[in-house]
Amino acid sequence: SMATRRAALRFGIMAAAPIASSPIRSHEGNARSWWNIGGIFGGRHFSGPVVPPRETALKGIPITMYQYEICPFCNKLKAVLDYCNVEYSTIDVNPLTKKQFEFTSKLPEGHPGFKYRKVPIAQIGEEVVPDSPIILQHLLELLAKDKSERARAVAASAKDEKVKEWVVWADKELAVLLFPNLTRTFEESYQAFGYVNDVPGFNMMDKVANQWIGATAMWLAQGKIKKKYNISDEREALATCIHKWVAALEQKDFMGGSAPNLADLAVFGVLRAAEGFETSHHLLLQSEVGPWYTRMAAAVGERSISRVARE
């Protein structure tokens, strides 16, 4: 299908592209363009996943997520929202100043978001919800009551114990490996922090400071993270982790069978945080996860300009 062919173009190495002038943009902006490495996975032809129809879910509920573009936990939540066709906006937090979090100090003491200064934080309707597992649970409760068949199916899958285990695995084992891989060298760390150049709300000083200072600090901190999680070779550790997921698929299109379930979305979202960077390029070329990732990209769909805006 055309959607599947477009999805096959999503993988590759970052390439420069002009920045759109419109204030409403896809949350990737025009920061990344994808080189076609379709066919490297060999053999199997994908006619397109069999998934429930795409209807807009959670209509009338404003959702805003405070994020870092390369945060795997933020991307996990966005994968769920994108697949369920939920309208939402994102606000990129300045990693150095975190001034976008100033509103949390005005929340009542005792509120779980009071002075909270980590991403993601979501504002769902009138409620401020911190921490990705809590945000996910809140969203699932809303999706379970929605008219969208796809949204209800995702929420229903969250009740399965195996699915719950994989969602925790995505957070506790897979996501923690992305940081040391994205910051493996200074060049890769600098590339990862390049997303700040496409944040509309950052001035030139914000962009320069975050890319240079942020990239340097994270590259220097990489050793501490590896020691904390007992990682000797970050590439090998990530490949081993991915192999566990692929083996568990047992040659099914998705963990959910003919359509993605919450486990698929959580793992895909975490990996999508590295999309377009050297880590992703290496992973998709060197591991067997590529065919599943291609199917997931087609099933989740592109990050529509009508669904995702930025301030």
Side-chain angles (χ1 to χ4, degrees), residues 291-308:
W292 168 84
Y293 193 100
T294 302
R295 293 191 294 274
M296 282 300 302
V300 171
E302 297 177 2
R303 302 168 192 185
S304 169
I305 194 170
S306 65
R307 292 209 305 277
V308 188

Side-chain angles (χ1 to χ4, degrees), residues 157-196:
S157 74
K159 298 178 182 179
D160 183 278
E161 290 303 319
K162 284 293 183 182
V163 171
K164 291 179 182 178
E165 290 174 11
W166 280 114
V167 172
V168 172
W169 176 85
D171 281 351
K172 303 294 185 181
E173 297 189 41
L174 179 59
V176 298
L177 290 172
L178 281 198
F179 173 81
N181 274 277
L182 285 172
T183 59
R184 190 172 65 99
T185 65
F186 175 76
E187 290 78 10
E188 289 180 66
S189 185
Y190 184 81
Q191 183 191 56
F193 275 82
Y195 82 89
V196 300

Side-chain angles (χ1 to χ4, degrees), residues 269-310:
V270 168
L271 292 178
R272 193 164 67 166
E275 195 175 78
F277 299 132
E278 182 62 28
T279 294
S280 178
H281 187 64
H282 175 86
L283 179 65
L284 293 170
L285 285 171
Q286 302 295 327
S287 80
E288 64 272 65
V289 76
W292 168 84
Y293 193 100
T294 302
R295 293 191 294 274
M296 282 300 302
V300 171
E302 297 177 2
R303 302 168 192 185
S304 169
I305 194 170
S306 65
R307 292 209 305 277
V308 188
R310 297 174 75 174

